[in-house]
Amino acid sequence: MSHAAVAQGASFRSTLAGSATILGAMLLVLCEAAGETYVVLAVVLAALLLAWGWPHVTGTLSPLTTRVAILATAAASVLAVRYNSGGAPLRHFPVVLAIGVIIAFFGQLLRGDGRQRVSEGLIGDLAAVALVVSGMALTALPVVRAVDLPIALAMAGVALGVAGDDLAERFPGAALLINTALGALAGLGADRLFAAAAPLWAAAIVGALASLVATATRMAVRDLPGGRRAGMAAVTASAGLLAAGLVTYAMARLLLG
């Protein structure tokens, strides 16, 4: 296969992942306006996509363990947020994370295939668990910081950051810097467009950091064994969107509340 054909295929797969990321970001913005329940449903959808595709992306030898760890973490996260009787919205998340880690760890130990590539499998499973926990942090924001629209600010940054992927391919050394700058601009624009109560400087920071984390995650996923397959575009997008959740929550609480 010629170098031009390889480059064209890589560009096509990047475009698919970018388009899926933008659609996912738009869905989260709409869900934030609709309320907490809809944000939960959107994040659960991303977690389901991750559960389906993550074993294919990582090439794990224990796909069932991976899926169980992801789904159990997602379910525990929903319960932790929905049935929190006061106090910090994410106060039970260390327990949620522990559940996912334990399932991933024992799932690898109990495999009956000679435990080949246990370390790789465990690292992949733990990464997926961390992504789900991070994404579920978004579900608390419509309750604690609804007036500031932090999800809209962050997702605007993530979406515009995707537009910088083509520039990043031309200047690979500045990829993250380009996408972060675009994310900051998107945060500013979203703050004015949606008439959010967040200060402009805070909106820029939220957009920039969300774009940075989402871009870095997409880049990392594309380097995994199955990450460059066209059919995994939605999984790559879901991973990036979920990864941006915790930093969005942290910045919303630190800068806005």
Side-chain angles (χ1 to χ4, degrees):
M1 185 179 294
S2 67
H3 178 73
V6 172
Q8 185 177 10
S11 177
F12 174 70
R13 290 188 292 270
S14 178
T15 300
L16 281 179
S19 300
T21 298
I22 293 172
L23 288 174
M26 291 172 60
L27 176 62
L28 282 167
V29 171
L30 292 174
C31 288
E32 181 181 33
E36 178 191 9
T37 299
Y38 293 93
V39 175
V40 171
L41 292 175
V43 176
V44 167
L45 175 60
L48 289 174
L49 285 171
L50 198 72
W52 164 71
W54 195 251
H56 300 294
V57 168
T58 60
T60 180
L61 296 178
S62 53
L64 179 60
T65 295
T66 301
R67 292 187 172 112
V68 170
I70 292 173
L71 294 176
T73 302
S77 299
V78 171
L79 293 175
V81 172
R82 297 288 287 178
Y83 297 101
N84 185 10
S85 59
L90 305 186
R91 64 175 181 167
H92 298 307
F93 268 40
V95 177
V96 172
L97 186 59
I99 291 172
V101 170
I102 290 171
I103 292 174
F105 184 77
F106 279 101
Q108 292 295 329
L109 290 183
L110 296 176
R111 281 166 45 187
D113 57 0
R115 300 181 186 175
Q116 297 177 359
R117 295 169 52 192
V118 168
S119 297
E120 292 180 26
L122 183 58
I123 291 171
D125 291 355
L126 294 181
V129 167
L131 288 172
V132 172
V133 171
S134 176
M136 283 296 173
L138 291 171
T139 62
L141 288 174
V143 175
V144 298
R145 298 307 310 168
V147 68
D148 296 310
L149 301 179
I151 295 178
L153 302 179
M155 291 304 114
V158 171
L160 189 58
V162 170
D165 285 352
D166 289 337
L167 288 174
E169 289 179 4
R170 299 179 188 177
F171 309 100
L176 292 179
L177 180 61
I178 291 170
N179 288 48
T180 301
L182 289 173
L185 291 175
L188 291 172
D191 186 73
R192 296 301 88 193
L193 177 63
F194 299 121
L200 284 175
W201 61 270
I205 292 175
V206 172
L209 292 180
S211 180
L212 172 63
V213 172
T215 300
T217 302
R218 291 198 309 273
M219 291 171 64
V221 172
R222 283 197 292 264
D223 285 338
L224 292 174
R228 295 188 178 274
R229 292 167 53 187
M232 295 296 105
V235 179
T236 302
S238 296
L241 293 168
L242 291 171
L246 197 55
V247 70
T248 301
Y249 177 86
M251 291 300 102
R253 295 304 300 265
L254 180 64
L255 303 179
L256 307 178

